[in-house]
Amino acid sequence: MDDQDEDLGAFDPNIPEEGPSAPPPGWLDDVHGYQVPKGEGDNPLYPPPPDYNPQPELNKNTLVPIVRVPTVSEDVARDALLKFVESKWRYSSKPARNLTFKELQPVTVYRYRLETYTETRTSAWQFESYNGQVVDGPQFGMSPPPWDIPVPPPARYTDKVEKVRVPHSSFVKPCHKCNGCGRTRCGNCHGRGQKRCTFCHGHGRSRDKRCTSCHGRGRRRSVALAAMAQGSEGVPGITSRPGRRVVLLVAGEAVRGDQLGRDLHLHHQSRPCDSYRRCSSCHGQGYNTCSVCHGSQRLLHFIQLTVTWKNDITEFIPDRQPDFPDKKFEKVTGDPFFVDESMLVYPIQGFPDQEICDVSTRMINEHLNRFSSTSRILQQRQTIEMVPLTHAYYTYNGKDYSFFVYGVENRVFAAKYPTACTIL
């Protein structure tokens, strides 16, 4: 604090400066089973006990039935193209109505999907203002381990986050922010409640002229006291229409009526007539209510357990048609002719598409290695869908064109269309 500010008045030494917003290291007690390992940060992850995760059986596989490749008729392909053209304002529907089909070529497209539904548990210290509520502390027993706390799960394959308070982990401590005072010294005025004029920095003059903000006093007076210094005759009459703010001229400054009232109230609290400018941060009090404990002086600390259920999905579609963008498959559905669901699923064997078999083995091993070390695997599901894809070849006005019909929804992708309106 600047020595020049000493004439602004004294501050209350019993009101501490602001402390840290979070409890400093060593402030909180250790709770058995919830110690934070080095490098884990403030939200440690607790892997489930080994017996919580199932172990896969060796050399076990899953067989898949053979399915027929779906086809579309010329009428279905034409209707799908007409709907596609209607959504494109630059396209004319005439080619779609009058085209001649040459060939409808079905393409075999399988989509493999693996879902692994997991539960993960982390914890973190939390606190709230203590106002006499019940404290479930270690006097009632030892806190149970993270995975022994019962938390009802949601519907299977539903993502959800649940936060619960760890039993017997609560205790009360003085607030670390205000050191148990309930309020902290204002950092703007250093606890003095008033500030030196910010325009002339207390010199009374700015650019070799008398400061117009503090009128050369070096300390800006409150507007109400300036009005009182003018005397009753110096204050113009106040008139106001309903809904309008009252504005009057005091010492050359436009002042709202509500500001005048606040400053008069400060004057009646024994402020001298030549008071400094009131600190806007603490409203002249020199302190603020603690932003952490909100004036209660004490905090209730507890461990909060966060339980996260998540359905992790990985999909794969072989790239069998270079002229068709695979991204289009993400927005359509297929026919799920094979669904295998269990706590642990096993690689597919004997399917006509060997690439699907290889992908199934790789993905299952990846999910098992990725999730079993940090989470509890609750259920797995693998699905094979037959995604309809037909390459339609046609002619129009003696020229050859083609488009794709894909998905159960019969959507259309056409890289080129015979006619399109243009705006010159």
Side-chain angles (χ1 to χ4, degrees):
M1 184 170 54
D2 197 329
D3 293 338
Q4 294 181 354
D5 289 340
E6 291 182 355
D7 61 336
L8 293 178
F11 60 86
D12 188 349
N14 295 320
I15 300 178
E17 295 182 352
E18 286 190 350
S21 57
W27 186 268
L28 303 176
D29 298 338
D30 285 335
V31 176
H32 180 72
Y34 293 87
Q35 294 89 346
V36 180
K38 290 184 178 180
E40 284 287 342
D42 295 330
N43 297 277
L45 174 69
Y46 300 105
D51 56 343
Y52 273 59
N53 267 330
Q55 298 300 316
E57 299 180 28
L58 298 177
N59 302 321
K60 187 174 181 179
N61 300 291
T62 303
L63 298 178
V64 180
I66 299 175
V67 64
R68 294 177 57 188
V69 178
T71 59
V72 298
S73 64
E74 290 187 0
D75 291 338
V76 171
R78 190 186 304 274
D79 290 342
L81 184 60
L82 283 169
K83 290 180 181 179
F84 170 76
V85 168
E86 289 174 0
S87 66
K88 307 291 184 181
W89 68 272
R90 296 179 61 246
Y91 288 179
S92 169
S93 61
K94 183 179 178 180
R97 291 195 305 267
N98 299 325
L99 61 82
T100 301
F101 283 106
K102 295 175 59 179
E103 182 184 5
L104 296 177
Q105 184 181 63
V107 181
T108 304
V109 178
Y110 298 112
R111 173 161 53 199
Y112 176 79
R113 179 187 299 112
L114 177 62
E115 300 171 79
T116 300
Y117 191 54
T118 61
E119 176 183 347
T120 307
R121 299 197 172 196
T122 61
S123 73
W125 280 104
Q126 300 291 332
F127 56 79
E128 62 185 27
S129 300
Y130 177 66
N131 296 295
Q133 60 266 44
V134 176
V135 180
D136 180 16
Q139 67 273 20
F140 295 105
M142 184 178 294
S143 296
W147 286 95
D148 287 355
I149 299 175
V151 184
R156 196 63 55 90
Y157 303 110
T158 302
D159 291 351
K160 186 179 180 182
V161 177
E162 192 77 28
K163 297 180 183 294
V164 296
R165 190 170 298 192
V166 174
H168 317 322
S169 67
S170 302
F171 55 86
V172 177
K173 276 185 172 290
C175 176
H176 52 269
K177 183 79 170 180
C178 63
N179 202 22
C181 183
R183 51 192 183 181
T184 56
R185 189 182 306 163
C186 177
N188 190 37
C189 66
H190 305 290
R192 301 181 185 277
Q194 50 193 359
K195 288 185 64 83
R196 189 179 299 278
C197 176
T198 56
F199 290 88
C200 67
H201 304 289
H203 299 295
R205 300 184 66 82
S206 178
R207 297 181 180 178
D208 296 330
K209 294 181 181 180
R210 190 178 72 160
C211 178
T212 57
S213 178
C214 65
H215 307 291
R217 291 187 299 270
R219 49 190 80 150
R220 193 171 182 185
R221 305 165 70 189
S222 66
V223 294
L225 300 178
M228 293 181 63
Q230 288 183 4
S232 59
E233 296 180 357
V235 180
I238 301 175
T239 58
S240 174
R241 296 179 184 177
R244 298 286 184 88
R245 286 183 175 178
V246 178
V247 179
L248 64 158
L249 193 65
V250 176
E253 297 183 62
V255 182
R256 295 198 313 270
D258 55 349
Q259 183 180 354
L260 178 67
R262 287 197 301 269
D263 288 336
L264 285 172
H265 174 70
L266 289 176
H267 171 69
H268 288 298
Q269 293 180 336
S270 300
R271 285 189 175 269
C273 289
D274 60 342
S275 65
Y276 303 108
R277 184 182 181 187
R278 183 179 58 163
C279 176
S280 58
S281 297
C282 64
H283 305 290
Q285 300 180 101
Y287 62 86
N288 293 306
T289 301
C290 178
S291 60
V292 171
C293 70
H294 306 292
S296 67
Q297 302 180 353
R298 293 189 290 174
L299 296 174
L300 175 64
H301 296 265
F302 58 91
I303 297 177
Q304 182 173 267
L305 182 70
T306 301
V307 185
T308 304
W309 292 275
K310 191 175 189 315
N311 190 30
D312 296 277
I313 303 174
T314 306
E315 292 184 342
F316 173 79
I317 293 182
D319 187 8
R320 299 294 167 78
Q321 186 55 254
D323 297 330
F324 182 83
D326 291 339
K327 283 284 186 181
K328 297 288 184 181
F329 287 125
E330 296 178 0
K331 298 182 179 180
V332 296
T333 57
D335 176 23
F337 66 90
F338 172 76
V339 179
D340 176 29
E341 184 173 353
S342 182
M343 185 171 290
L344 288 180
V345 296
Y346 293 89
I348 293 173
Q349 271 197 352
F351 191 65
D353 192 329
Q354 183 58 39
E355 192 171 4
I356 294 294
C357 297
D358 297 339
V359 166
S360 170
T361 301
R362 176 173 57 83
M363 285 188 178
I364 288 175
N365 289 332
E366 286 179 356
H367 276 221
L368 190 62
N369 294 332
R370 189 196 317 171
F371 300 121
S372 61
S373 60
T374 59
S375 307
R376 180 183 183 184
I377 297 177
L378 301 176
Q379 194 83 353
Q380 283 189 315
R381 179 168 60 190
Q382 60 180 342
T383 307
I384 302 179
E385 288 181 323
M386 172 67 75
V387 185
L389 178 65
T390 300
H391 199 173
Y393 297 89
Y394 68 95
T395 61
Y396 180 75
N397 284 344
K399 294 183 178 181
D400 293 333
Y401 300 92
S402 71
F403 64 92
F404 290 92
V405 182
Y406 64 100
V408 174
E409 298 83 356
N410 287 333
R411 294 192 179 179
V412 168
F413 169 74
K416 187 177 181 181
Y417 189 69
T419 61
C421 301
T422 58
I423 299 177
L424 297 179

